[in-house]
Amino acid sequence: MATTAALPSHPTPHRKLPPASAGASLRQLCKDGDLREALRQLAARSARGRAPPPTDHYGWVLDLVAARRAVSEGRQVHALAVATGALGDDDAGFLATKLLFMYGKCGRLPDARRLFDGMPARTVFSWNALIGACLSSGSTGEAVGVYRAMRASAGAAPDGCTLASVLKACGAEGDGRCGSEVHGLAVKSGLDRSTLVANALVGMYAKCGLLDPALRVFEWMRDGRDVASWNSAISGCVQNGMFLEALDLFRRMQSDGFSMNSYTTVGVLQVCAELAQLNHGRELHSALLKCGTEFNIQCNALLVMYARCGRVDSALRVFREIGDKDYISWNSMLSCYVQNGLYAEAIDFFGEMVQNGFNPDHACIVSLLSAVGHLGRLINGREVHAYAVKQRLDSDLQISNTLMDMYIKCYSVECSARVFDKMRIKDHVSWTTIIACYAQSSWYSEAIEKYRTAQKEGIKVDPMMMGSFLEACSGLKSISLLKQVHSYAIRNGLLDLVLKNRIIDIYGECGEVCYALNIFEMLGKKDIVTWTSMVNCFAENGLLHEAVALFGKMLNAGIQPDSVALVGILGAIAGLSSLTKGKEIHGFLIRGKFPMEGAVVSSLVDMYSGCGSMNYALKVFDEAKCKDVILWTAMINATGMHGHGKQAIDIFKRMLETGVSPDHVSFLALLYACSHSKLVDEGKFYLDMMVSKYKLQPWQEHYACVVDLLGRSGQTEEAYKFIKSMPLEPKSVVWCALLGACRIHKNHELAMVATDKLLELEPDNPGNYVLVSNVFAEMGKWNNVKEVRTRMTEQGLRKDPACSWIEIGNTVHTFTARDHSHRDSQAIHLKLAEITEKLRKEGGYVEDTSFVLHDVSEEEKIDLLHRHSERLAISFGLISTASGTPLRIAKNLRVCGDCHEFTKLVSKLFEREIVVRDANRFHHFSGGSCSCGDFW
């Protein structure tokens, strides 16, 4: 198979030729690149009265003009050719073809088209030159049009160069159908045997995404292949994401004895980058060093490969060794830093780039904005934005989209929105970015409005945009909107596994467990995220047993949990107070060699403290090598929940000594600890520290903690004054804290104020009605109690029934008040009667019926007290465990005063340590006393 030859020389008209030495001199000037002197000599020889230069002299100068893309000088040559009549005498079309070629290389397609249209006769070389001009100008569609016009004319037939050029245009247009037609012509004319045409066929099919026919052509070539053939096939595989096949072709190329050139190297290095094949990349680097053929294009590809493989040091070494660094070199190194999360280093490197005389271009601005955004440097981001505006780069679509993303990362929603509004052209990325910006910044209504506008503008919704919109649904907790979006996604085939998993999450967040479970069960293919989403859905909605059971099914299905799944199940286990299961998960983490850091170690601390085991929680905390603010906060919260307020303060001080700055949640945990340990002065001090030293504006929950602290210590009037002094309007959580304190300390007048505020702010919260009803009951206002309960019924509100649970062995047993559903119910009630009798005789126990908030007889009140759920759990624990075994019980509501006294006596007379976690805190009962000091 022969390669198509270069354009043949054309005969020149018979004229008197100038001396050979003059022609040689002009030719040498063109070879030396001296365009100015070459033009002067050509003009001198074209002077009136002298014999005009031969056409090949014009050709030499025009070749140099084309190489320099010097269109002004090219027009001078064109004018000389017209003036001397050389163009008119160009019967063979050699000079006109040279001019066409020059205009094409200079990107002057209109000039080339005018010249071509004025040609009296067109040769195949003229047609090829015009097609080439179209390609050089990026007008690939017009190139195909010229080819069709050539076929329709009665003149020259296409040759190998024609077909190769047209196939290149088809590839750029993605027009596989036209490319196939050209392939058919090549077969008919026998030009498919040309290596040039065959290589162009491989490239065309690959660019059109038709890799199979591309590789069939390549395999058909066999012995006619050259290095370009291999490069076309390798490049085709890379373009279509077939990286392993590209690597296999490269190995075949080497075994067939072909030496790689710079194009081969770049293609294979791209494969190494995509597959993170660092060793193969290093082998190529070594081969390049041995043969000493490193060019900029190869060095830049090496730099990108090392960057993608995470080897910044190697990339920097390659960069430093590049002698003549171009923009691609600098931008590739800058991008390397950004890709590998070295944002500060990227900004420093940018400074070095500017010092070396390279002004930021489009690619540089994009990388720089990404670095600034990740660092949250808003001022620097605005400086880059101003530079982009000054250089008129801000109108570029990619830069505008990156600017929006940068402002989002810098928490400047308004700036991001302004960039969006000023964009004349917005693509799919622009709309998705602004919707995500609003959704992530809790501007949910604005996100929904932008989503609807995007649809009106004809923007096609894809899973990425749908995911951003779902964030808004999640924030609004709008079940009706979520169902609409879910239906739209189903109708339009947008539901990939990622979106289905997210929809399960959001149904769970909206409390619609059944919908979430339906989606989960309908999924044929479930990944670890699917299982984790459903486990978390159960856990977040209080279905803790179901969460643990589903986690077990996940393990049985052969799905290996990751750290996110384990963190989720640890939260459910903490809610169940299932120490046995918690230890099992801890063991799984150790066997799986999960790093004990971040969310994993914080969740372990939460789990052990939630299961009442502070010793294990402290051990996990102390063994953690890296303690972040989340872990410190978890430990502060754990000690506070167990009533160790002073210890919580000590841990907070240790945190400050290590240089970790507290956040809102840290102070909330600390104030909570102070509240449950009666540390009034300390609580006030730390609230002041939060505002004055750390400039953190307190949340409603912080104020509620202080109100609770003052109220529980008996200072209810002081708590009310504190509420009135708040710089923001108090919400229900604050009034609820005051009402709870007023109930304990019998401040009925102030309780009525809190009652009115609470029901006004949250009329749909059943817990508020229960609290208000209890206050009225303690005041003996039974008509008011009846009225409150009637309102609850009318609104369809129900209070959560009191329940307690205890773990025996590997099973969690749950009890409700007056429960007879347990299989050992008879034995439990008999044991409870025995316990009560012993407490009366030996402990002087007398029931305090003031804690029974029902308008019934005294006997009925005593009977109700005896059947409280925690007493049933204690009774079951005593008959199910060996003497001396500690009992760990959890309750979903606050322990009443009578049960508190009952449990103290049980711990003393039955010599058991009893740990009870109620809705507020932990109680450690031992020897007749409680860790709360009767303050809870």
Side-chain angles (χ1 to χ4, degrees):
M1 186 186 301
T3 305
T4 302
L7 290 173
S9 298
H10 291 265
T12 56
H14 294 286
R15 293 194 185 99
K16 184 180 177 181
L17 299 176
S21 60
S25 174
L26 180 62
R27 189 170 194 172
Q28 190 59 47
L29 285 170
C30 292
K31 282 185 177 180
D32 294 340
D34 192 344
L35 179 58
R36 184 175 181 181
E37 182 60 26
L39 275 173
R40 192 190 66 77
Q41 282 199 23
L42 186 65
R45 291 173 193 177
S46 304
R48 187 174 299 176
R50 298 189 62 177
T55 52
D56 56 349
H57 286 208
Y58 287 99
W60 298 335
V61 179
L62 285 170
D63 285 341
L64 179 57
V65 168
R68 295 284 183 82
R69 288 173 171 61
V71 69
S72 297
E73 288 79 357
R75 283 177 174 152
Q76 291 178 40
V77 177
H78 190 173
L80 285 172
V82 172
T84 60
L87 192 59
D89 295 339
D90 185 33
D91 297 331
F94 172 78
L95 183 54
T97 300
K98 282 289 185 182
L99 282 165
L100 279 171
F101 177 76
M102 178 274 295
Y103 281 127
K105 282 292 184 182
C106 293
R108 300 299 303 175
L109 182 58
D111 292 330
R113 173 64 83 172
R114 276 194 298 271
L115 177 63
F116 180 83
D117 290 342
M119 292 174 67
R122 297 161 183 164
T123 66
V124 64
F125 307 109
S126 309
W127 286 101
N128 288 348
L130 183 58
I131 291 171
C134 293
L135 287 173
S136 297
S137 302
S139 302
T140 51
E142 193 168 344
V144 176
V146 172
Y147 161 74
R148 294 194 186 281
M150 178 186 183
R151 292 289 311 280
S153 71
D159 64 2
C161 289
T162 314
L163 299 189
S165 297
V166 175
L167 286 168
K168 183 178 180 182
C170 291
E173 286 286 298
D175 190 349
R177 184 174 181 178
C178 181
S180 297
E181 292 174 7
V182 177
H183 190 178
L185 177 64
V187 172
K188 286 179 184 177
S189 60
L191 291 171
D192 61 327
R193 293 191 294 274
S194 162
T195 303
L196 178 66
V197 174
N199 289 346
L201 280 167
V202 173
M204 179 276 297
Y205 280 124
K207 286 178 180 174
C208 292
L210 303 168
L211 190 58
D212 287 341
L215 293 179
R216 278 200 298 272
V217 173
F218 174 77
E219 296 297 342
W220 174 82
M221 293 171 70
R222 296 186 183 176
D223 298 333
R225 297 178 191 134
D226 59 8
V227 174
S229 312
W230 288 98
N231 289 345
S232 295
I234 291 170
S235 176
C237 288
V238 172
Q239 290 166 16
N240 288 275
M242 308 293 283
F243 303 115
L244 292 174
E245 290 78 358
L247 208 55
D248 182 59
L249 280 171
F250 174 64
R251 293 191 181 109
R252 284 176 56 193
M253 174 183 174
Q254 288 180 308
S255 65
D256 284 1
F258 286 91
S259 298
M260 62 182 180
N261 61 16
S262 59
Y263 293 102
T264 320
T265 306
V266 170
V268 178
L269 283 172
Q270 188 178 348
V271 172
C272 295
E274 293 291 341
L275 297 177
Q277 290 282 338
L278 181 60
N279 290 336
H280 286 297
R282 282 174 169 165
E283 288 174 13
L284 274 176
H285 191 178
S286 177
L288 290 172
L289 291 172
K290 285 177 183 177
C291 62
T293 58
E294 285 186 90
F295 302 106
N296 267 26
I297 186 172
Q298 294 169 321
C299 290
N300 292 337
L302 273 170
L303 199 160
V304 171
M305 182 276 295
Y306 280 124
R308 294 288 293 274
C309 293
R311 295 307 303 264
V312 181
D313 53 343
S314 299
L316 185 60
R317 195 157 48 246
V318 170
F319 173 80
R320 297 297 182 202
E321 291 170 359
I322 299 175
D324 186 18
K325 300 178 180 69
D326 57 14
Y327 267 101
I328 296 175
S329 310
W330 285 98
N331 285 333
S332 296
M333 193 63 227
L334 181 64
S335 178
C336 170
Y337 281 122
V338 174
Q339 287 173 18
N340 288 278
L342 301 172
Y343 307 117
E345 290 82 351
I347 292 174
D348 293 340
F349 181 79
F350 168 73
E352 180 186 340
M353 178 178 176
V354 174
Q355 287 172 5
N356 279 270
F358 284 84
N359 293 322
D361 62 357
H362 170 278
C364 176
I365 293 293
V366 170
S367 294
L368 192 60
L369 285 171
S370 179
V372 170
H374 279 94
L375 291 172
R377 296 184 181 178
L378 181 59
I379 294 174
N380 294 135
R382 285 176 172 160
E383 290 172 350
V384 179
H385 189 176
Y387 177 86
V389 171
K390 187 177 179 181
Q391 299 298 317
R392 298 183 179 179
L393 292 170
D394 60 317
S395 59
D396 178 84
L397 189 57
Q398 186 182 13
I399 287 180
S400 295
N401 289 338
T402 311
L403 276 167
M404 289 169 61
D405 183 66
M406 178 274 294
Y407 281 124
I408 292 170
K409 288 184 170 67
C410 293
Y411 304 103
S412 182
V413 183
E414 295 86 351
C415 290
S416 184
R418 277 199 295 271
V419 171
F420 178 82
D421 291 337
K422 288 181 180 179
M423 292 171 67
R424 293 182 180 178
I425 300 173
K426 302 177 179 76
D427 65 358
H428 180 270
V429 175
S430 314
W431 287 98
T432 302
T433 303
I434 194 65
I435 292 167
C437 168
Y438 285 138
Q440 292 167 14
S441 304
S442 301
W443 292 28
Y444 305 122
S445 299
E446 289 80 356
I448 291 168
E449 185 61 33
K450 276 289 182 283
Y451 173 80
R452 288 172 175 160
T453 306
Q455 287 186 305
K456 291 176 185 176
E457 293 286 332
I459 301 296
K460 186 178 180 181
V461 178
D462 68 353
M464 185 71 73
M465 184 182 288
M466 185 63 69
S468 298
F469 185 66
L470 282 170
E471 291 302 318
C473 296
S474 172
L476 289 172
K477 298 291 187 291
S478 172
I479 191 64
S480 61
L481 186 61
L482 176 58
K483 288 177 180 178
Q484 290 176 39
V485 175
H486 187 186
S487 299
Y488 178 88
I490 293 171
R491 289 195 307 272
N492 291 275
L494 297 172
L495 285 180
D496 58 12
L497 187 58
V498 174
L499 271 185
K500 289 175 183 176
N501 292 341
R502 188 68 189 105
I503 289 173
I504 290 173
D505 283 332
I506 301 174
Y507 273 126
E509 291 166 10
C510 294
E512 295 288 344
V513 180
C514 291
Y515 281 106
L517 188 58
N518 284 340
I519 298 172
F520 175 81
E521 290 177 342
M522 288 169 61
L523 280 175
K525 181 183 178 183
K526 301 180 180 74
D527 61 7
I528 180 61
V529 180
T530 315
W531 287 93
T532 303
S533 296
M534 197 62 230
V535 168
N536 290 342
C537 173
F538 280 138
E540 289 167 4
N541 287 278
L543 302 171
L544 306 178
H545 292 286
E546 290 82 352
V548 173
L550 187 64
F551 185 80
K553 288 182 180 178
M554 182 183 83
L555 295 178
N556 293 334
I559 303 293
Q560 284 299 308
D562 57 9
S563 57
V564 178
L566 292 167
V567 166
I569 197 61
L570 281 171
I573 289 169
L576 280 175
S577 290
S578 178
L579 185 60
T580 303
K581 287 182 172 61
K583 287 180 177 179
E584 289 175 3
I585 299 298
H586 192 178
F588 184 91
L589 285 164
I590 294 170
R591 291 192 301 275
K593 297 182 179 179
F594 285 85
M596 292 296 172
E597 59 189 21
V600 170
V601 70
S602 300
S603 296
L604 278 172
V605 169
D606 284 336
M607 182 274 294
Y608 277 123
S609 64
C611 292
S613 181
M614 279 300 296
N615 290 336
Y616 280 112
L618 280 167
K619 186 178 180 182
V620 170
F621 175 79
D622 290 337
E623 289 177 355
K625 294 179 181 178
C626 180
K627 297 180 176 70
D628 58 10
V629 66
I630 298 173
L631 180 56
W632 283 103
T633 300
M635 200 64 232
I636 293 167
N637 184 61
T639 50
M641 193 163 55
H642 284 265
H644 308 307
K646 292 189 180 297
Q647 187 180 349
I649 291 173
D650 290 339
I651 293 170
F652 181 80
K653 290 177 179 177
R654 281 171 55 197
M655 179 182 79
L656 299 183
E657 289 168 1
T658 62
V660 176
S661 296
D663 59 10
H664 281 88
V665 184
S666 306
F667 277 107
L668 187 60
L670 186 63
L671 290 172
Y672 178 91
C674 293
S675 172
H676 285 277
S677 296
K678 209 173 183 177
L679 301 174
V680 179
D681 292 337
E682 290 86 344
K684 291 179 179 178
F685 172 79
Y686 286 112
L687 181 69
D688 180 66
M689 175 192 282
M690 175 183 178
V691 177
S692 59
K693 184 175 181 179
Y694 291 97
K695 311 301 180 186
L696 297 172
Q697 293 305 312
W699 298 340
Q700 292 280 344
E701 289 80 5
H702 294 95
Y703 290 118
C705 276
V706 176
V707 170
D708 187 64
L709 173 61
L710 293 168
R712 284 177 183 277
S713 62
Q715 302 177 49
T716 51
E717 295 295 337
E718 184 71 22
Y720 184 48
K721 288 179 184 177
F722 177 81
I723 292 174
K724 290 194 287 186
S725 70
M726 284 172 56
L728 51 124
E729 191 67 27
K731 293 190 177 179
S732 57
V733 65
V734 176
W735 293 109
C736 187
L738 179 64
L739 183 58
C742 291
R743 177 191 167 194
I744 293 170
H745 295 286
K746 314 297 184 187
N747 189 335
H748 295 153
E749 183 180 347
L750 193 53
M752 296 304 296
V753 175
T755 293
D756 293 339
K757 289 287 186 180
L758 193 58
L759 295 183
E760 176 189 334
L761 291 168
E762 276 192 350
D764 298 325
N765 187 338
N768 293 340
Y769 286 95
V770 172
L771 182 57
V772 169
S773 171
N774 290 344
V775 170
F776 283 137
E778 290 181 350
M779 294 167 64
K781 296 184 175 182
W782 298 109
N783 289 333
N784 295 85
V785 171
K786 185 178 180 181
E787 181 184 338
V788 170
R789 291 177 179 170
T790 301
R791 284 178 62 184
M792 281 185 68
T793 304
E794 289 172 351
Q795 294 183 49
L797 302 176
R798 293 183 61 189
K799 74 165 190 172
D800 292 330
C803 68
S804 301
W805 55 95
I806 182 172
E807 184 180 36
I808 302 295
N810 202 28
T811 305
V812 175
H813 300 262
T814 305
F815 300 90
T816 57
R818 301 181 295 280
D819 192 359
H820 289 273
S821 63
H822 197 277
R823 66 173 186 269
D824 296 323
S825 178
Q826 187 175 359
I828 291 168
H829 284 86
L830 285 173
K831 182 66 176 179
L832 182 56
E834 177 192 326
I835 295 167
T836 305
E837 189 61 29
K838 183 171 183 176
L839 265 54
R840 283 174 176 162
K841 288 181 178 178
E842 300 179 25
Y845 169 64
V846 177
E847 293 84 350
D848 186 348
T849 57
S850 65
F851 291 102
V852 180
L853 304 176
H854 294 277
D855 188 16
V856 294
S857 66
E858 197 69 14
E859 290 78 11
E860 287 179 286
K861 289 182 178 181
I862 291 173
D863 184 60
L864 288 171
L865 282 175
H866 289 175
R867 297 171 187 273
H868 276 190
S869 61
E870 58 266 55
R871 301 193 191 202
L872 297 174
I874 289 171
S875 175
F876 180 68
L878 289 177
I879 64 176
S880 303
T881 59
S883 178
T885 303
L887 302 181
R888 301 178 190 278
I889 296 164
K891 185 176 182 179
N892 66 334
L893 302 179
R894 182 176 179 270
V895 171
C896 78
D898 189 69
C899 288
H900 191 267
E901 191 65 27
F902 176 90
T903 309
K904 284 199 297 184
L905 290 172
V906 171
S907 71
K908 177 181 179 180
L909 298 180
F910 288 84
E911 298 180 353
R912 295 286 190 109
E913 179 187 352
I914 303 174
V915 180
V916 177
R917 188 192 77 191
D918 69 6
N920 292 336
R921 56 167 297 158
F922 272 89
H923 302 263
H924 291 260
F925 298 95
S926 181
S929 63
C930 179
S931 60
C932 72
D934 297 336
F935 179 82
W936 78 99

